[in-house]
């Protein structure tokens, strides 16, 4: 599924990516069940891979989730990462910055939350908000935005060079799909607590957001920290694509059972 | 399973608690499978309960795990808490304190890690180390230890009065069982990386540790932060006892679907 990866140096055009896409699965109940079974198998492998990551404590994995409201950031974490041992998995949901956070550069609070060696870190929203929402609403100049693109690249390179694998997912839904999901929240009294009138305000800037996503993804999809444009109108396919990449990344680290401590003669050890 | 709870004000004698106990299950393969099925059902309920805790963000749950080396603190987290959405679950493994941590009172680093509203927080070891390992090795005076018992009670009361439910588990294994588990690490090359010669040193102080556990559990098992002595020689029964208490605690919070935001007329909302 590497064709969802945005190649370093290429210019992303979101219109070339169909949010309804479901790969080699058709959008039928039967095919959906097959895809879900494939996802379940991948998730089952995650458990062992993460255990090894934790045991070795030499590498870490950072997963960045971005997307419009209702694009499924929470749902992806819930479906793909439940089953992972929570000891060794750290999810950070970045909210509106506090006064203290605002008194530092935009990467300060992000750096603090970088996953330690042995951990999978998941950013539910991230430093990318600082070149998306701020840009769409004209809160930062174009000059500063372009500087930040560069600062982000260098920050991610720092993490990568120090042992952190990085995967960045843009959960790509269509404007129509967002409409359906918001309508579902309105219609179902059990879902109304999720309603945030702010989402409706941001929806008015849909095209500006798509443009901002295209720009930042084009500028920051690098070999060490690639972006993936995940077709996310179908939740089951979105989960499969993300699970596949996460398993692939951990698998690619090729971690073995950690070595036994040095200087211990196990043949002579006696426990009394 | 409330009979594992140490009543507030009572004097715990560990010899009254059999680490081999398996409740109303016999220690046969068939009964073990039944217990595992019961545990699986409890864990399946955890998912929904935790989602509600997170959605409401009015309460939190703190789980403290203590026990001798190899007693199964990591295993309990892995088996009982995998399946919980990691967004909303925060595990903290307290290690030897850093210089910065040592330059504060012993509860300083612990308070920072208290679970926020909406979260399940799990302490893998905790502030209790500061009245166990330190006491056994004579690093703090008896006077300071007794002060700390009181400070711990007041600290936990603070958390409780501000919405945090607290469950404290002492994973109770026998000295013989620890021997078996350490021997297994020595025998299996795949497990040798877990070997820590320090564990063997601490084992020499087994009786002192049991006495220290009895004292601190007796002194700090309160109505708002009860201790449970979990029979932990059989891993499958240990998991069942812990899962049962965790589900019971969340269930007892009696959380409903959060209310819809105020001031929104859902009948008139139109999404364009």
């Amino acid at each position: 599924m590497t064709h969802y990866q945005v190649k370093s140096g290429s210019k992303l055009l979101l219109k070339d990516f169909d949010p309804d896409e479901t790969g080699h699965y058709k959008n039928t109940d039967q095919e959906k069940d097959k895809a879900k079974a494939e996802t379940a198998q991948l998730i089952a492998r995650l458990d062992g891979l993460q255990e090894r990551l934790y045991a070795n404590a030499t590498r870490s994995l950072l997963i960045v989730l971005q997307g419009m409201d209702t694009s499924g950031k929470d749902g992806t974490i819930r479906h793909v990462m439940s089953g992972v041992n929570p000891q060794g998995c750290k999810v950070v949901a970045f909210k509106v910055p506090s006064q203290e956070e605002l008194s530092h550069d935009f990467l300060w609070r992000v750096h603090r939350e970088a996953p330690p060696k042995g951990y999978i870190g998941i950013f539910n929203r991230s430093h990318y908000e600082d070149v998306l929402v701020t840009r769409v609403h004209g809160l930062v100049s174009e000059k500063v935005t372009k500087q930040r693109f560069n600062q982000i690249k260098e920050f991610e390179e720092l993490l990568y060079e120090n042992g952190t694998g990085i995967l960045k997912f843009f959960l790509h839904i269509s404007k129509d799909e967002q409409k359906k999901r918001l309508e579902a929240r309105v219609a179902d009294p059990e879902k109304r607590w999720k309603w945030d009138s702010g989402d409706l305000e941001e929806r008015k800037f849909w095209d500006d957001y798509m443009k901002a996503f295209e720009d930042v993804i084009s500028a920051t999809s690098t070999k060490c920290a690639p972006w993936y444009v995940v077709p996310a109108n179908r939740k089951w396919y979105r989960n499969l694509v993300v699970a596949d990449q996460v398993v692939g990344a951990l698998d690619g680290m090729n971690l073995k059972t950690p070595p036994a401590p040095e200087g211990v003669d196990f043949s002579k050890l006696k426990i009394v």
Side-chain angles (χ1 to χ4, degrees), chain A:
Chain A
M1 298 187 180
T2 47
H3 55 288
Y4 300 125
Q5 186 178 330
V6 179
K7 286 212 175 58
S8 178
S10 72
K11 173 70 193 138
L12 170 67
L13 292 172
L14 282 172
K15 68 174 176 49
D16 296 342
F17 288 79
D18 179 6
D20 270 320
E21 208 218 287
T22 51
H24 61 278
Y25 289 103
K26 290 192 191 72
N27 188 23
T28 64
D29 282 353
Q30 207 189 351
E31 294 267 298
K32 197 163 128 179
D33 286 345
K34 272 197 223 169
K36 282 184 177 178
E38 192 187 340
T39 308
Q41 280 182 335
L42 287 164
I43 290 172
R45 289 192 55 208
L46 255 187
D47 181 49
L49 287 166
Q50 188 244 357
E51 197 184 13
R52 197 151 278 197
L53 183 76
Y54 190 76
N56 277 278
T58 51
R59 302 286 311 273
S60 58
L61 180 66
L62 172 62
I63 298 167
V64 172
L65 291 170
Q66 289 285 163
M68 296 298 284
D69 297 314
T70 77
S71 64
K73 297 180 289 294
D74 294 283
T76 301
I77 297 170
R78 184 178 164 84
H79 286 97
V80 178
M81 305 307 293
S82 293
V84 158
N85 186 343
Q87 173 158 291
C89 183
K90 188 182 159 193
V91 182
V92 188
F94 286 99
K95 309 281 184 194
V96 174
S98 70
Q99 277 307 109
E100 193 195 10
E101 288 167 350
L102 284 173
S103 71
H104 295 84
D105 70 84
F106 76 108
L107 291 171
W108 180 78
R109 66 171 184 161
V110 179
H111 207 160
R112 287 165 66 118
E113 302 289 3
K117 287 188 200 316
Y119 280 71
I120 297 176
I122 302 170
F123 286 177
N124 184 345
R125 301 185 188 271
S126 67
H127 43 301
Y128 284 96
E129 291 297 320
D130 296 290
V131 289
L132 288 164
V133 60
T134 48
R135 189 182 190 196
V136 164
H137 293 292
L139 303 175
V140 290
S141 69
E142 283 303 295
K143 190 184 157 204
V144 167
T145 295
K146 296 291 154 63
Q147 278 181 343
R148 287 186 178 180
F149 286 178
N150 215 35
Q151 290 157 356
I152 287 173
K153 273 205 288 193
E154 287 169 0
F155 168 64
E156 290 174 351
E157 198 178 23
L158 167 76
L159 299 184
Y160 176 81
E161 288 175 351
N162 285 277
T164 303
I166 305 175
L167 296 173
K168 301 182 291 193
F169 298 108
F170 170 60
L171 305 184
H172 183 32
I173 56 167
S174 62
K175 199 176 175 188
D176 265 359
E177 181 64 21
Q178 190 192 51
K179 185 167 188 268
K180 279 184 211 159
R181 294 184 185 184
L182 288 172
E183 281 171 347
R185 286 189 188 172
V186 171
D188 183 352
E190 282 291 301
K191 285 185 177 171
R192 282 186 184 166
W193 65 272
K194 291 187 183 177
W195 182 263
D196 178 351
S197 297
D199 296 354
L200 218 51
E201 284 308 303
E202 294 309 305
R203 180 171 164 80
K204 292 177 188 163
F205 297 92
W206 186 275
D207 293 341
D208 296 334
Y209 271 107
M210 291 307 114
K211 175 79 176 55
F213 271 115
E214 285 180 339
D215 283 358
V216 69
I217 291 173
S218 303
T220 62
S221 197
T222 60
K223 226 180 138 184
C224 60
W227 273 104
Y228 296 84
V229 177
V230 180
N233 275 4
R234 309 276 167 253
K235 295 171 184 175
W236 54 271
Y237 191 64
R238 170 201 77 198
N239 293 341
L240 173 59
V241 172
V242 172
D244 182 63
Q245 294 300 340
V246 172
V247 166
L250 290 171
D251 220 17
M253 290 184 186
N254 207 11
L255 297 167
K256 312 287 178 206
T257 302
E262 284 179 32
V264 180
D265 185 349
F266 284 95
S267 66
K268 284 186 183 150
L269 262 180
K270 209 168 171 267
I271 296 148
V272 288

